[in-house]
Amino acid sequence: MNTSRREFLKANAMAAVAAVAAPGMSLAAAASGGIVWSKSVCRFCGTGCGVLLGVRDGRLVALRGDPEHPTTKGLVCAKALFLPKIVHAKDRLTHPQIRKNGRLQRATWDEAMKLVADKFADAIKAHGPNSVAYYGSGQALSEESYLANRLFKGGIGTNNVEGNPRLCMASAVGGYVTTYGKDEPMGCYEDIDHARVFFLLGSNTAECHPVLFDQILENKQRRRDVKVIVLDPRRSPVGAITDLHLNPIPGQDLIVLHAMAHCLIRDGKIDRAFIDGKVQFKAVKDGNPVSVGFDDYVEFLKAYPPAKAAEVSGVPAAAIEQAAALFAEGPVMSFWTMGLNQRTRGVWANNLVHNLHLITGNIGKPGATPFSLTGQPNACGGVRDTGSLCHILPYGRVVDNAGHRQQMETLWGSRPGAIPDKPGLNTIELFRALGRDEVKAMLILTTNPGHSLPNVSPHRDAMGKERPGKPFICVLDAYPTRTTELADVVLPAAMWTEKSGVFGMSERRYQYQPKLREAPGEARSDLNILLALAAELEQREVVPAGYIAGKLKDDDDIWNEMREASRGTAYDFTGMTRERLKRERGIRWPAPTETHPGTARRFVKGEDPLLDAGAYANPALAPGEVEFYGAPDKRAVVWLRPPLGPAEPPDAEYPFILSTGRVLEHWHTGTMTMRAEELRRAYPKPFVEIHPTDADRLGIRTGDAVRITSRRGEAIITARVVDAPRPGMVFAPFHWEDEAGFINRVTIDAYDPGSKQPEFKICAVRLAKA
């Protein structure tokens, strides 16, 4: 990534700080006079950067990196520096609105809450609990997601609880659970300092996780023997530090990973003792997993030598051989994100990365870990961990396990059998059911599905198209979005810094976010809105009386219940009291006692406290020995997965592959970053990258308008002719909400059959100069 571009943005951010502080205030004054500083955590991605926030006269006026933060060490990205300006955006939502005569009109809180409660209660009474749904976010605080999950599953009695982490991290969850038996990375950011090889797969770390990219870069500059391998069909800004780039045809990377494993075994670059003691092998036959042996795995891989992988993927055989040789040198830290996850074979792709670490023993040691990066600040701690998706319950429990359901019903005080024994609808099926008017009422919190869903047009119609019996949509947000414009009721929500609670980031670190200022106008925290809705539903007798009202009054109460829910589980964070989180700069779970410092590496004797006491304890292990206590027989699984391709490969009618992604300056659907003029100016309009070979053939030049058409819809976007995507592929970020360039009208909503995560990264399109 161009360093001057980043420095330019940071300079603009400092000017923005002065503008927010007060008209005419100098930079020096904005940085010192009268400002009260507090530690907190950044609002953007899952890196979880520690920040110091400056408040003056009730206004957030400054942000800087926290030099005492143990893992991000004072670093922040350019976007974060604009957060003070974003919080004070002029178009913040400040009062409830109800749709009347086709228009959203101002309403009182009483009027709005009564309408929402009536609509939900009427649907439940007439059509049953599964006629309502909750769609949440990896941007909500942990206490908010936990409370919503508790209300809908244990109170109303529906598992129709979903959220946008289904769109970004579900395949990573599936990969961890099917391989190790438990979700979440076992390593930590400290491993960056110890790794000798970095394997980046489908991850534009430079733009999407720039602070971690900076740490990788620092390691590479400090230790000249550090190597970076990239597996990505697009040459992103990560290329600035890449030693070896493997650029497969989109969707054909699984065979490359198999070929690497083939080379490692052929050349004897595996850890046979680790395999024999810690690993098992499984294949799927007739739809069911079956145990096989190491010899079966070796035989399976014979079908995927580098030459065969090159033929299928387009990656040269010599490059695959080189990648395997570098991986064998270790210690290896693999990072991946949406490029692997947003696929119809996302779980399998995740499994194959874990396979490489397991057969080489590159796991559970400093610098040796497979690490899934997270796109949102609280997808891990707030949704994955709290069980706020349709098939799971808090802290490793699942809805189809009777014992797990009973545990949560007891803790929550639900009636016996309140939680259904089958998963609810996953995100895509939930919005399809909404379009069929089978879901009658939906609560959407801190997310923008009217912009972010794949194949968004029918899902927008499901939410907003007027028709008899149209479902009722209530949206909680801090800003107007492409989703609030479809809602029947919009409730103004407090923003980051205007409420308190916990974010949980990618390395299992839970961090406390303090309330530092009052929300504007009549805006309220999502937690208070959920508490009020629960009380209204109790009054209407669709939630048992006293289920939430009178038991839980604030985020402190909810946090204490969450700690209790984690007790004795693989997540155990009962040692993270509120007071401790306020005092310390985050703690990594498990942390089962108030004196435990938190866990850097899970499954490692001497580091993971669960191997010393409790249900997972094993005194026979030697210090530093690994035991995968969540997996069957305490052995991680190496999977024999066939290297199948995408749901919609290119063909004669639609000969190009579209992949979507992000840029440094913007985040998700631009709801926040577009509120900072400097960030908006950096990339004011959508664009599509086209390889020069393809552009020449189509007569397209940089600046031309290009019509991108799929079987679902079209967008007209400005061309950028560059050699970043491989020939036959085009790349378009999805941040902009303008109608012509709305790229999610083009994307496909086919999803992974295991994780239910959609394949944003691959769909077939045709191009034409518009």
Side-chain angles (χ1 to χ4, degrees):
M1 180 171 40
N2 190 317
T3 303
S4 62
R5 174 178 159 204
R6 296 174 69 179
E7 293 306 316
F8 172 77
L9 284 169
K10 289 184 178 181
N12 272 282
M14 290 305 297
V17 165
V20 169
M25 179 179 285
S26 69
L27 283 175
S32 57
I35 293 178
V36 176
W37 292 91
S38 302
K39 74 174 180 67
S40 189
V41 57
C42 181
R43 176 61 176 78
F44 283 115
C45 77
T47 302
C49 296
V51 296
L52 296 175
L53 301 177
V55 175
R56 183 175 186 269
D57 297 332
R59 290 179 64 83
L60 179 65
V61 298
L63 178 151
R64 62 191 183 203
D66 182 357
E68 296 184 39
H69 194 273
T71 53
T72 57
K73 306 169 186 175
L75 295 173
V76 292
C77 75
K79 289 188 293 289
L81 295 172
F82 288 94
L83 276 166
K85 193 167 190 177
I86 292 166
V87 166
H88 293 289
K90 294 179 180 179
D91 63 345
R92 282 285 303 272
L93 297 175
T94 57
H95 54 262
Q97 299 174 75
I98 293 175
R99 187 171 299 279
K100 299 177 181 179
N101 300 318
R103 293 177 55 250
L104 286 170
Q105 300 181 31
R106 183 168 182 166
T108 67
W109 270 103
D110 284 346
E111 183 185 7
M113 290 303 299
K114 283 187 168 72
L115 177 60
V116 174
D118 284 344
K119 291 291 186 179
F120 272 78
D122 290 348
I124 295 165
K125 290 174 180 177
H127 304 284
N130 288 330
S131 67
V132 301
Y134 167 79
Y135 189 73
S137 170
Q139 300 166 58
L141 293 167
S142 295
E143 296 88 341
E144 294 165 349
S145 292
Y146 177 90
L147 178 62
N149 196 29
R150 188 190 202 278
L151 172 61
F152 277 76
K153 287 180 182 166
I156 293 171
T158 179
N159 289 328
N160 286 342
V161 173
E162 276 290 290
N164 59 18
R166 180 71 72 185
L167 307 181
C168 62
M169 299 310 302
S171 292
V173 175
Y176 280 118
V177 171
T178 53
T179 297
Y180 307 105
K182 297 295 178 184
D183 185 23
E184 299 285 16
M186 64 284 296
C188 60
Y189 294 160
E190 293 166 19
D191 287 312
I192 295 173
D193 296 331
H194 301 284
R196 185 177 178 276
V197 177
F198 293 94
F199 192 20
L200 308 180
L201 305 95
S203 171
N204 180 5
T205 323
E207 296 195 271
C208 300
H209 298 91
V211 167
L212 297 182
F213 181 79
D214 285 346
Q215 293 184 1
I216 295 171
L217 177 60
E218 191 276 332
N219 185 2
K220 189 172 173 65
Q221 291 174 335
R222 174 170 47 86
R223 298 170 55 204
R224 298 297 180 179
D225 62 341
V226 169
K227 301 296 182 183
V228 177
I229 311 167
V230 170
L231 179 66
D232 195 321
R234 175 177 176 255
R235 184 173 56 79
S236 75
V238 173
I241 64 168
T242 300
D243 296 287
L244 177 63
H245 184 199
L246 313 177
N247 62 333
I249 297 167
Q252 302 299 339
D253 46 3
L254 274 70
I255 197 169
V256 175
L257 298 172
H258 278 322
M260 289 176 63
H262 172 103
C263 295
L264 290 165
I265 292 174
R266 180 200 64 197
D267 298 340
K269 298 295 180 66
I270 60 174
D271 188 334
R272 191 57 194 266
F274 186 86
I275 291 171
D276 291 344
K278 306 296 179 183
V279 173
Q280 59 182 307
F281 296 84
K282 289 190 177 183
V284 176
K285 294 183 180 178
D286 300 324
N288 298 307
V290 296
S291 294
V292 297
F294 175 72
D295 291 342
D296 298 299
Y297 181 55
V298 174
E299 189 65 27
F300 170 80
L301 291 176
K302 286 181 180 178
Y304 309 115
K308 177 64 175 178
E311 178 185 326
V312 173
S313 71
V315 177
I320 297 173
E321 296 270 7
Q322 186 182 356
L326 287 173
F327 197 98
E329 293 179 7
V332 182
M333 190 171 193
S334 295
F335 283 122
W336 68 94
T337 183
M338 306 311 161
L340 286 195
N341 296 334
Q342 289 179 333
R343 306 268 296 282
T344 51
R345 300 298 170 190
V347 173
W348 292 9
N350 275 258
N351 288 148
L352 300 195
V353 178
H354 296 308
N355 285 1
L356 294 176
H357 281 266
L358 290 169
I359 65 175
T360 58
N362 260 297
I363 197 164
K365 296 175 285 191
T369 193
F371 199 116
S372 163
L373 294 173
T374 312
Q376 298 185 89
N378 206 22
C380 291
V383 176
R384 291 160 67 170
D385 297 356
T386 65
S388 297
L389 292 173
C390 71
H391 65 297
I392 52 178
L393 292 168
Y395 309 113
R397 300 173 177 92
V398 291
V399 301
D400 61 4
N401 182 304
H404 292 175
R405 294 196 305 274
Q406 185 177 28
Q407 289 171 20
M408 293 315 303
E409 287 166 357
T410 300
L411 178 66
W412 286 344
S414 306
R415 59 174 176 77
I419 303 172
D421 61 359
K422 293 181 176 58
L425 298 171
N426 68 68
T427 290
I428 297 302
E429 295 303 334
L430 182 62
F431 280 91
R432 288 174 178 170
L434 192 75
R436 297 190 298 268
D437 300 340
E438 295 168 3
V439 171
K440 304 295 184 180
M442 181 182 287
L443 184 71
I444 298 173
L445 186 149
T446 320
T447 188
N448 188 12
H451 183 150
S452 63
L453 287 172
N455 186 22
V456 73
S457 295
H459 305 314
R460 285 181 58 81
D461 288 345
M463 287 183 275
K465 186 175 180 180
E466 286 300 328
R467 57 195 184 274
K470 174 195 168 297
F472 176 80
I473 303 296
C474 175
V475 177
L476 283 62
D477 212 313
Y479 304 94
T481 68
R482 294 303 305 266
T483 304
T484 61
E485 71 184 11
L486 305 173
D488 298 290
V489 171
V490 176
L491 300 178
M495 178 56 173
W496 169 84
T497 70
E498 298 162 1
K499 56 186 180 179
S500 58
V502 172
F503 275 160
M505 38 86 117
S506 296
E507 66 162 0
R508 294 170 286 104
R509 184 181 295 274
Y510 287 176
Q511 302 184 90
Y512 181 73
Q513 170 197 294
K515 178 179 177 180
L516 300 176
R517 60 184 300 272
E518 295 299 323
E522 300 175 23
R524 299 179 181 178
S525 76
D526 302 81
L527 189 87
N528 287 338
I529 297 170
L530 288 167
L531 287 171
L533 176 61
E536 294 279 356
L537 294 178
E538 289 181 23
Q539 291 176 15
R540 287 159 178 77
E541 299 181 344
V542 292
V543 171
Y547 175 68
I548 288 176
K551 281 187 181 178
L552 303 171
K553 63 179 184 299
D554 57 27
D555 53 290
D556 289 345
D557 287 346
I558 295 167
W559 180 253
N560 286 330
E561 184 177 285
M562 293 165 67
R563 289 169 56 220
E564 190 59 34
S566 80
R567 187 182 299 277
T569 72
Y571 297 71
D572 197 328
F573 59 91
T574 51
M576 295 189 203
T577 64
R578 206 59 151 185
E579 293 71 23
R580 188 180 176 193
L581 283 175
K582 290 177 181 179
R583 184 174 65 250
E584 299 184 29
R585 283 167 164 78
I587 304 162
R588 291 179 292 224
W589 60 264
T593 67
E594 293 184 32
T595 58
H596 192 275
T599 301
R601 295 174 190 88
R602 299 166 74 197
F603 310 134
V604 179
K605 182 70 171 181
E607 295 199 51
D608 189 334
L610 303 187
L611 288 170
D612 296 324
Y616 304 115
N618 186 350
L621 294 175
E625 188 175 352
V626 170
E627 182 164 275
F628 300 108
Y629 49 74
D633 303 322
K634 300 182 180 180
R635 290 170 173 261
V637 180
V638 167
W639 286 95
L640 284 63
R641 302 291 200 189
L644 301 184
E648 189 180 67
D651 56 23
E653 186 177 3
Y654 298 94
F656 291 91
I657 294 172
L658 167 69
S659 188
T660 61
R662 310 180 186 189
V663 297
L664 170 70
E665 292 82 356
H666 290 302
W667 195 73
H668 284 208
T669 60
T671 302
M672 291 188 292
T673 52
M674 294 294 177
R675 263 76 194 176
E677 183 181 352
E678 296 82 357
L679 294 174
R680 189 172 63 251
R681 281 206 311 263
Y683 274 111
K685 295 181 180 180
F687 65 88
V688 58
E689 293 179 350
I690 306 174
H691 191 276
T693 301
D694 298 323
D696 286 347
R697 182 162 52 85
L698 295 169
I700 292 172
R701 296 182 179 181
T702 293
D704 288 346
V706 176
R707 188 184 306 275
I708 306 172
T709 305
S710 74
R711 292 175 173 87
R712 292 154 297 281
E714 70 175 31
I716 298 176
I717 302 180
T718 302
R720 179 177 293 179
V721 179
V722 291
D723 63 356
R726 62 172 292 135
M729 172 192 178
V730 295
F731 170 82
F734 69 100
H735 309 292
W736 298 270
E737 64 180 21
D738 62 301
E739 191 58 40
F742 208 174
I743 196 63
N744 272 333
R745 293 197 186 277
V746 179
T747 50
I748 191 170
D749 56 3
Y751 57 79
D752 185 302
S755 70
K756 321 300 183 191
Q757 181 165 355
E759 192 157 50
F760 284 94
K761 292 303 178 190
I762 303 168
C763 73
V765 299
R766 62 173 177 255
L767 307 178
K769 188 174 179 179

